[in-house]
Amino acid sequence: MTECTNGQTSLNTHDETMITKSIKKICCIGAGYVGGPTMAMIASRCKHIQVHVVDINQERINAWNSDELPIYEPGLQQIVSDARGENLTFSTRVEEAIQESDMIFISVNTPTKTFGIGNGRASNLEYVEKCARVIAENSDGHKIVVEKSTLPVRTAEAVQRILISSGKPGATFDVLSNPEFLAEGTAIEDLEDPDRVLIGGDSEQAIQCLVDVYGTWVSREKIITTNLWSSELSKLTANAFLAQRVSSINAISALCEATGANIEEVARAIGTDSRIGPKFLKASVGFGGSCFQKDILNLVYLCEHFGLPEVAEYWYQVVRMNDFQKRRFSTRIVRHMFNTVSDKKIAMLGFAFKKDTNDTRESAAIYVCRDLIQERARVTIYDPKVNLEQIRHDLKTLMANGQGELSAHDRNLIDNNVRIAHSAEEAAQNAHAIALMTEWEEFTKVDFEQIYTSMKKPAFLFDGRNLLDRDMLMDIGFEVHSIGKC
Ligand code: NAD
Ligand code: UGA
């Protein structure tokens, strides 16, 4: 490690001239929601580069090699089938892929720690560290290692130390940070035409190698280069700001319900201010997804670690407000339904954390479903892309204690009170209420007149996304409760 003139620690361990100038082989460790689509896009745009995506999960790799991809993402199937067999390979041959590649992306999961120091806040870096070790053990010559996973600021330093201390004699490494900003459901569009690509590093030549990869299809003005720590921190900050906007509008939605203001009118009124802007002002049952909460908790942990408790507390409120919004939604359901949902059927439309994805991680639906079955409701769920096995798994994970154990009572509730339907109509048959959780387009096309006749009366509809035409539903006879509207 060398000391830069600006006082930063330089992480390149070699003479800059040693770097391979043009990247011919890339490998990506982690074939998940980020690794799969990102590498498929690189393979589809850079025909001159061989891309090998590896994972320890054989089942996932089998799915990537089949017509039933492990993740649902509009447009993904097409680019994967076009490139697979040409310059895109999926396998579990982690070591071989590393040995053959010039550039190695680390795109493994970085979940919140559920044990020990930083329990419930810090990132679990176990998988990233294992990647660094396997890269070190399988590298000769020079490799560029790219952090694609979202990581706490200064993780690159730890990665570099592992690479140096465990690497073979003569092996050299550059570490770059290249966080991913794609959103699920629009991943292909986001990768094809990103707002920006961010590359952090301290080796000009290594940065240039990665700039050249993206530069094949992304205009150079959109490729931002920074130092490593700015890049790592920018990713956490971007997610914190986005989540903060959702929590802010959701906080105001509670005030709207109390005062008679309408959250959509308020969002429109403030969103036309060019300094605020219209995006990410959609009030909802609460944000979900694998990253917002995890990344804010990580930011909170970092602030505490660096002795900034006020900053930590400021960001923690974003998560607390989100918890409040989810809980508020289930409480509203119970209150409006005469303070009891016990033995009542509730049709839940949608379980994914947003439309156009099969991802349910941290979905608000899991929390609301938990609350409802704890009130002894019978919940029947229809989601176009989520199956019963996934739903039960999510509920069991949420309801288990710190040791991962589930009480017999909760297991019974999940097994007996949660059902799945194959259409919105089937879910709503004989139901006392509908709770709309995910903004799937197909829910706007459902025949609500027919659904109304098949339901118990009064027929309640709780729209957790403000997706449906409220006036039309009220005309049909539904008692409608939306977010941020009286
Ligand atoms: P994921 O859980 O879908 O995929 C991670 C994959 O890594 C899994 O298939 C797992 O089997 C594999 N893996 C773990 N350890 C491994 C090892 N040692 N060797 C080989 N494979 C290993 O996760 P994801 O959603 O793709 O997220 C990956 C990272 O990207 C996270 O840090 C996340 O914060 C970040 N990110 C995610 C998104 C998103 O939309 N999901 C967007 C931007 C950034
Ligand atoms: C988010 C960011 O948008 C991506 O830039 C980032 O790369 C990614 O996290 C990540 O790091 O994982 P994602 O979680 O896939 O992407 O989806 P978003 O569109 O951001 O939605 C997140 C949650 O907020 C969803 O539950 C969504 O329904 C909710 N949301 C979003 C609202 O409730 N209201 C809004 O106005 C916007």
Side-chain angles (χ1 to χ4, degrees):
M1 225 174 282
T2 51
E3 194 71 22
C4 293
T5 46
N6 61 4
Q8 282 178 25
T9 312
S10 170
L11 297 187
N12 57 323
T13 58
H14 55 85
D15 180 341
E16 289 266 307
T17 54
M18 289 166 73
I19 295 174
T20 320
K21 288 261 167 53
S22 161
I23 300 300
K24 295 192 178 63
K25 289 191 175 179
I26 285 179
C27 119
C28 173
I29 310 179
Y33 282 86
V34 168
T38 311
M39 292 302 126
M41 181 58 69
I42 291 180
S44 109
R45 295 308 160 107
C46 306
K47 295 290 181 204
H48 58 289
I49 299 179
Q50 287 295 324
V51 181
H52 194 162
V53 188
V54 289
D55 203 294
I56 42 174
N57 184 334
Q58 182 72 57
E59 210 183 315
R60 218 167 199 189
I61 289 298
N62 292 347
W64 280 111
N65 283 319
S66 76
D67 290 336
E68 287 266 320
L69 300 186
I71 65 178
Y72 172 72
E73 193 63 63
L76 179 64
Q77 181 82 49
Q78 190 61 46
I79 63 162
V80 170
S81 10
D82 289 349
R84 211 171 42 192
E86 298 287 329
N87 62 334
L88 178 64
T89 310
F90 293 95
S91 88
T92 52
R93 300 191 302 275
V94 179
E95 298 181 356
E96 183 188 314
I98 293 168
Q99 287 155 14
E100 290 175 348
S101 298
D102 317 306
M103 181 177 270
I104 300 147
F105 285 78
I106 299 177
S107 189
V108 298
N109 37 328
T110 48
T112 305
K113 265 186 96 174
T114 52
F115 54 88
I117 299 167
N119 183 5
R121 295 200 175 184
S123 268
N124 181 350
L125 297 177
E126 176 188 345
Y127 309 107
V128 172
E129 177 165 343
K130 282 185 177 144
C131 287
R133 290 187 187 281
V134 73
I135 293 169
E137 286 155 15
N138 288 282
S139 295
D140 291 302
H142 187 73
K143 306 273 187 197
I144 299 174
V145 177
V146 184
E147 295 176 345
K148 179 56 91 180
S149 297
T150 303
L151 296 166
V153 58
R154 294 198 83 92
T155 304
E157 194 171 358
V159 169
Q160 182 75 11
R161 281 192 60 195
I162 292 164
L163 292 171
I164 299 168
S165 55
S166 321
K168 295 182 187 174
T172 55
F173 302 94
D174 276 306
V175 179
L176 298 178
S177 160
N178 170 223
E180 184 49 60
F181 295 98
L182 67 80
E184 289 178 30
T186 54
I188 300 305
E189 286 167 45
D190 297 342
L191 289 166
E192 214 154 33
D193 185 20
D195 286 348
R196 79 316 211 168
V197 167
L198 179 58
I199 302 174
D202 55 17
S203 154
E204 288 297 329
Q205 290 197 37
I207 290 174
Q208 193 55 45
C209 288
L210 190 52
V211 168
D212 288 344
V213 172
Y214 284 107
T216 315
W217 80 97
V218 179
S219 70
R220 300 282 165 136
E221 308 82 74
K222 284 187 171 181
I223 304 178
I224 301 172
T225 59
T226 65
N227 77 30
L228 274 164
W229 323 132
S230 304
S231 174
E232 289 177 332
L233 186 55
S234 298
K235 173 62 196 175
L236 293 183
T237 308
N239 273 359
F241 270 58
L242 289 168
Q244 182 196 43
R245 265 178 86 95
V246 180
S247 274
S248 297
I249 201 73
N250 282 343
I252 299 300
S253 77
L255 194 56
C256 285
E257 286 161 34
T259 58
N262 176 320
I263 196 63
E264 286 180 342
E265 292 177 355
V266 173
R268 193 163 63 246
I270 65 166
T272 47
D273 184 325
S274 60
R275 294 165 304 174
I276 296 175
K279 293 183 181 169
F280 260 71
L281 287 180
K282 184 92 186 133
S284 68
V285 54
F287 63 73
S290 62
C291 295
F292 276 0
Q293 175 171 302
K294 156 178 92 69
D295 292 349
I296 293 178
L297 292 174
N298 186 356
L299 191 65
V300 166
Y301 181 72
L302 282 171
C303 294
E304 284 168 347
H305 174 81
F306 286 105
L308 299 165
E310 291 82 359
V311 186
E313 190 49 35
Y314 173 78
W315 286 109
Y316 193 55
Q317 282 302 318
V318 174
V319 174
R320 288 193 61 198
M321 184 51 61
N322 197 49
D323 290 340
F324 172 67
Q325 188 76 348
K326 291 183 281 192
R327 178 66 77 169
R328 214 165 68 74
F329 189 75
S330 31
T331 305
R332 250 177 118 198
I333 293 178
V334 177
R335 291 241 167 90
H336 285 292
M337 294 178 73
F338 317 111
N339 287 312
T340 177
V341 289
S342 181
D343 201 32
K344 289 181 180 167
K345 178 179 176 184
I346 298 184
M348 206 173 234
L349 301 189
F351 203 78
F353 81 96
K354 63 186 282 196
K355 70 171 178 177
D356 292 338
T357 178
N358 60 344
D359 197 347
T360 59
R361 290 178 289 181
E362 284 301 327
S363 178
I366 311 172
Y367 292 83
V368 172
C369 188
R370 186 248 347 241
D371 295 348
L372 293 176
I373 60 174
Q374 282 179 338
E375 288 288 335
R376 309 283 165 86
R378 293 177 285 115
V379 180
T380 299
I381 301 160
Y382 167 64
D383 186 290
K385 296 287 173 195
V386 183
N387 60 34
L388 183 58
E389 195 188 350
Q390 182 65 51
I391 291 168
R392 291 218 165 116
H393 171 267
D394 290 337
L395 287 166
K396 282 175 182 164
T397 307
L398 178 66
M399 293 168 81
N401 65 16
Q403 280 71 49
E405 296 153 349
L406 192 64
S407 71
H409 172 76
D410 285 346
R411 185 177 298 278
N412 275 338
L413 279 179
I414 295 168
D415 290 341
N416 299 328
N417 289 33
V418 180
R419 295 267 174 277
I420 195 148
H422 298 96
S423 67
E425 289 81 0
E426 185 192 334
Q429 181 83 33
N430 281 323
H432 296 75
I434 294 173
L436 189 144
M437 307 305 297
T438 313
E439 72 282 22
W440 286 101
E441 195 72 20
E442 71 171 69
F443 297 151
T444 61
K445 301 187 176 100
V446 165
D447 181 351
F448 279 101
E449 299 238 16
Q450 190 249 306
I451 281 191
Y452 179 76
T453 54
S454 77
M455 286 177 65
K456 302 260 192 248
K457 308 295 179 315
F460 293 92
L461 196 151
F462 299 90
D463 186 351
R465 296 288 182 166
N466 289 346
L467 178 76
L468 303 174
D469 182 339
R470 185 180 155 94
D471 292 341
M472 177 269 289
L473 292 168
M474 290 199 296
D475 285 348
I476 292 173
F478 282 101
E479 180 174 323
V480 184
H481 298 279
S482 314
I483 303 284
K485 296 176 192 176
C486 289

